[in-house]
């Protein structure tokens, strides 16, 4: 399964927006022992630089909304891509490119469409605990990667069997330090 190989036992995906502190944050994340980082960007040159500078990290590209962005990420060599919503054309093209893809879903119907295309993972976006619980009940074989979960709610999501990992957007240094010591508080 894609997610098991890619994410291992990492239950937190650190999601970062591109800003002046991006490279410093990536150094801190690597030092804290995290391995999965999603960058909200599809700029090929920046993604290539990050992949080159941080070879131990599994770098993904988030917020992919077009075929061109998907292609740019593929050419950059990222480990995975995600989208905030679901477009069959992006999902099908990701499959053709053999790109690890987390399609964004907001309804059970979208989750069923994702599964009909052969995907076994999806990203509830925006993250909603009640929606994730419904997906867990109705489609327990679908692995969930809820996006932009609030720090203090992460453990509630992770208690659902279908949730493989949660994405935390731009975590503060104190949170990274707590996580690296195994504390979700």
């Amino acid at each position: 399964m894609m997610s098991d190989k890619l994410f291992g036992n990492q239950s937190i995906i650190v999601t970062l927006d591109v800003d002046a502190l991006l490279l410093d944050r990536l150094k801190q994340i690597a030092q804290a022992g995290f391995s999965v980082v999603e960058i909200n960007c599809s700029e090929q040159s920046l993604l290539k630089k990050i992949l080159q500078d941080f070879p131990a990290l599994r770098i993904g590209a988030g917020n992919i909304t077009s075929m061109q962005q998907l292609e740019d990420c593929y050419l950059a060599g990222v480990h995975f891509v995600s989208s905030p919503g679901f477009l069959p054309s992006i999902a099908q093209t990701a499959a053709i490119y053999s790109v690890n893809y987390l399609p964004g879903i907001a309804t059970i119907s979208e989750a069923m469409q994702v599964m009909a295309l052969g995907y076994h993972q999806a990203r509830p976006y925006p993250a909603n605990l009640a929606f994730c619980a419904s997906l867990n009940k109705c489609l327990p074989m679908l692995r969930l990667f809820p996006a932009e979960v609030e720090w203090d709610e992460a453990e509630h999501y992770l208690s659902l069997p279908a949730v493989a990992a949660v994405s935390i957007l731009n975590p503060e240094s104190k949170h990274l330090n707590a996580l690296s010591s195994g504390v979700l508080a």
Side-chain angles (χ1 to χ4, degrees):
M1 183 177 282
M2 176 280 285
S3 55
D4 293 339
K5 289 186 296 198
L6 184 63
F7 298 111
N9 61 359
Q10 193 97 59
S11 62
I12 301 292
I13 300 168
V14 178
T15 301
L16 300 175
D17 288 327
V18 175
D19 60 20
L21 301 174
L22 178 63
L23 296 179
D24 291 336
R25 281 195 188 136
L26 286 166
K27 286 178 194 157
Q28 181 185 13
I29 288 164
Q31 290 169 351
F34 293 94
S35 60
V36 183
V37 181
E38 176 183 45
I39 311 295
N40 282 328
C41 166
S42 63
E43 186 183 311
Q44 198 176 140
S45 58
L46 177 61
L47 292 171
K48 280 184 177 179
K49 177 178 177 24
I50 291 169
L51 286 161
Q52 180 181 340
D53 292 353
F54 299 93
L57 296 178
R58 290 186 217 117
I59 301 295
N63 284 334
I64 302 310
T65 59
S66 73
M67 300 294 278
Q68 185 60 57
Q69 289 176 326
L70 176 65
E71 189 168 313
D72 289 345
C73 294
Y74 169 75
L75 293 172
V78 296
H79 297 97
F80 68 98
V81 298
S82 71
S83 59
F86 172 66
L87 282 178
S89 59
I90 290 178
Q92 291 163 335
T93 303
I96 291 168
Y97 284 156
S98 296
V99 171
N100 293 314
Y101 175 54
L102 292 174
I105 57 169
T107 66
I108 290 180
S109 295
E110 287 178 338
M112 291 168 62
Q113 289 177 45
V114 162
M115 292 176 70
L117 288 176
Y119 283 91
H120 302 283
Q121 70 279 346
R123 169 165 264 191
Y125 183 84
N128 174 297
L129 193 55
F131 177 52
C132 289
S134 293
L135 288 168
N136 185 73
K137 179 183 173 200
C138 299
L139 304 169
M141 69 296 292
L142 186 63
R143 308 253 304 153
L144 304 177
F145 296 82
E148 299 180 15
V149 169
E150 292 297 322
W151 179 260
D152 56 355
E153 295 179 359
E155 63 188 303
H156 299 296
Y157 285 88
L158 292 169
S159 70
L160 295 170
V163 173
V166 296
S167 154
I168 297 190
L169 180 64
N170 300 322
E172 296 176 29
S173 297
K174 65 181 181 180
H175 294 140
L176 290 174
N177 293 335
L179 271 176
S180 65
S181 63
V183 178
L184 252 186

